[in-house]
Amino acid sequence: MIPLLILIPIVGSLCLLLITENSLENQTKMKNIALSTSLINLFVSIILWAKFDSSTNQIQFVYEYSQLNFCHFNLGIDGILYILFY
């Protein structure tokens, strides 16, 4: 779930890069893409909030990426980040 919170805005911004002409129709498309990207990200955040167990102090929703030799990172949400996240 956490990688989705990172990938959804990236995909939305890449879709915005494809729109080049600055017309009223394209501005409406850009607003719709930005709104839908934000709403999808909000929906994923609400799902994470609902599944978060606040009775523990452990890091939850841990995602570890180590597919490449030069790139290794861990993502997770703890209680402090949980408060700042929402």
Side-chain angles (χ1 to χ4, degrees):
M1 285 293 214
I2 291 183
L4 286 177
L5 291 176
I6 295 171
L7 292 176
I8 290 170
I10 292 173
V11 169
S13 62
L14 291 176
C15 290
L16 290 175
L17 285 175
L18 298 176
I19 300 174
T20 57
E21 186 179 330
N22 193 11
S23 66
L24 185 61
E25 180 182 321
N26 286 341
Q27 287 178 355
T28 305
K29 286 181 187 178
M30 291 170 66
K31 288 179 184 179
N32 289 336
I33 291 171
L35 178 64
S36 61
T37 302
S38 299
L39 290 176
I40 292 169
N41 219 11
L42 175 67
F43 181 70
V44 172
S45 298
I46 290 172
I47 291 173
L48 281 175
W49 178 72
K51 291 184 177 183
F52 188 80
D53 182 16
S54 60
S55 65
T56 182
N57 61 357
Q58 300 293 321
I59 297 177
Q60 299 175 33
F61 309 114
V62 176
Y63 177 76
E64 182 177 342
Y65 181 79
S66 60
Q67 302 296 327
L68 303 172
N69 290 337
F70 60 89
C71 182
H72 178 87
F73 63 92
N74 295 327
L75 299 172
I77 297 177
D78 61 352
I80 295 172
L81 181 62
Y82 172 73
I83 294 169
L84 297 174
F85 188 61
Y86 298 102

